[in-house]
Amino acid sequence: MNDTNNDRNHDIDDVLTRTEDGVGVVTLNRPELANAQDLVLLRHLDECLTAMAENSEVKVILLNANGKHFSAGHDMNPKRDELLRFHPEGPHGLADLYAIEREVYIGFCQKWRNIPKPTIAAVQGACIAAGLMLAWPCDLIIASDTAYFSDPVVNMGIGGVEYHCHAWEFGHRKAKELLFTSDRLSAEEARQLGMVNRVVPADQLQKEALELAKKVATKPAFGLQMAKRAVNQAMDIGGQEAAQKAIFDIHSVGHGHALSISGIPVLVDLEAMKESNRQ
């Protein structure tokens, strides 16, 4: 993908990009589906984020979303999401599902988390399950006062989303409570826990997020890169990366269990889930 500039946007249907004053803006563009994620969107998003990381004119990347919601999580419509059409009787069985999720879910998240430029997520409305996996890899999160966060994946017979940062983002007691109950966390509660940097009025979110990104972009690029690397290294030395890899294997056991019972990788009423995503 070619670098973007102010005069020419590189638009892939479900992901839009532009640059402004050293900020590369990457926008999820599936508002009619609450920016639910299928594999096509995630691969497009990875392409766009990679291009921004490689664009020498971009110093900071801002990830935002069109519509009422940042992301309602995985697209749970089997007609659109190939993972829900997975058949364990295929030539490689559960290994195929494991390989896809390792690449596209935890793999992409770890890659985005280590982009050598500051990244900022601007979150409004729902940020559910896989929505967290878009916000958490970013260095900063600015949320509207209408935003809420949850991981209801325990309802599907799985212990949480693939990129499992709950204990680091919430603390271990709150992480267990939120996983066990599937309760929502408000933007202000998330700020108090340290997951969100700032909470702003909904109508000011995009303006405030872009202003923050432009402020960061005034700093020396190499200094920003080293500051980010230092903090990420401290977290990894503390065990975050190793724990995520181990927890992903636990997550995959959940898929195997669900397949043995229901024939699909999750225990869920798909019709109810689709209705929930439309709300």
Side-chain angles (χ1 to χ4, degrees):
M1 188 173 79
N2 295 326
D3 288 347
T4 59
N5 55 49
N6 287 325
D7 301 319
R8 177 179 53 79
N9 292 346
H10 179 90
D11 294 353
I12 305 172
D13 288 343
D14 47 13
V15 183
L16 310 177
T17 67
R18 64 184 177 87
T19 62
E20 182 178 335
D21 297 334
V23 178
V25 182
V26 178
T27 304
L28 304 177
N29 190 41
R30 259 186 142 193
E32 73 284 359
L33 296 173
N35 293 304
Q37 307 162 36
D38 59 9
L39 296 186
V40 174
L41 179 142
L42 289 170
R43 290 190 169 112
H44 286 170
L45 178 59
D46 180 62
E47 179 185 350
C48 292
L49 290 173
T50 299
M52 289 297 186
E54 295 173 351
N55 185 340
S56 60
E57 296 182 1
V58 171
K59 293 178 69 178
V60 179
I61 300 171
L62 173 61
L63 176 63
N64 61 13
N66 283 333
K68 182 179 178 181
H69 300 294
F70 179 72
S71 178
H74 293 315
D75 190 335
M76 298 303 294
N77 188 329
K79 293 181 179 179
R80 293 189 296 263
D81 192 336
E82 64 189 78
L83 289 185
L84 291 177
R85 300 192 301 273
F86 170 81
H87 293 291
E89 297 82 9
H92 303 293
L94 188 58
D96 287 338
L97 178 62
Y98 181 87
I100 293 171
E101 290 206 325
R102 186 176 180 183
E103 173 205 359
V104 177
Y105 295 146
I106 187 172
F108 278 176
C109 288
Q110 290 176 333
K111 175 184 176 183
W112 301 335
R113 183 248 195 187
N114 291 313
I115 288 173
K117 296 179 179 180
T119 55
I120 301 171
V123 178
Q124 78 276 14
C127 184
I128 301 172
L132 298 170
M133 300 193 338
L134 302 182
W136 280 347
C138 293
D139 300 306
L140 305 178
I141 300 175
I142 181 169
S144 79
D145 53 12
T146 64
Y148 60 90
F149 307 85
S150 70
D151 182 1
V153 175
V154 168
N155 292 334
M156 306 177 196
I158 311 292
V161 293
E162 294 85 350
Y163 184 68
H164 206 282
C165 291
H166 307 67
W168 284 269
E169 297 288 354
F170 304 135
H172 72 282
R173 299 289 183 199
K174 193 66 175 180
K176 290 176 182 177
E177 177 188 342
L178 293 171
L179 286 167
F180 294 170
T181 64
S182 301
D183 284 348
R184 293 179 177 183
L185 191 70
S186 72
E188 179 56 27
E189 289 173 317
R191 188 194 66 80
Q192 292 174 11
L193 289 170
M195 191 193 92
V196 164
N197 295 89
R198 302 180 185 182
V199 177
V200 300
D203 62 356
Q204 296 295 308
L205 175 64
Q206 300 306 325
K207 175 178 177 290
E208 295 279 349
L210 187 58
E211 287 181 357
L212 175 60
K214 287 181 178 181
K215 180 177 181 178
V216 175
T218 64
K219 308 300 182 183
F222 189 68
L224 291 170
Q225 180 180 345
M226 291 299 98
K228 175 170 181 169
R229 180 173 171 81
V231 176
N232 283 3
Q233 282 286 95
M235 296 172 71
D236 289 342
I237 291 169
Q240 186 184 64
E241 183 180 14
Q244 285 175 342
K245 290 177 179 177
I247 296 167
F248 175 67
D249 289 345
I250 296 172
H251 175 95
S252 299
V253 170
H255 281 317
H257 176 253
L259 280 164
S260 71
I261 295 174
S262 67
I264 61 173
V266 293
L267 300 177
V268 67
D269 181 337
L270 292 178
E271 290 303 318
M273 184 61 67
K274 285 187 287 184
E275 179 60 31
S276 176
N277 283 349
R278 284 193 287 266
Q279 294 177 357

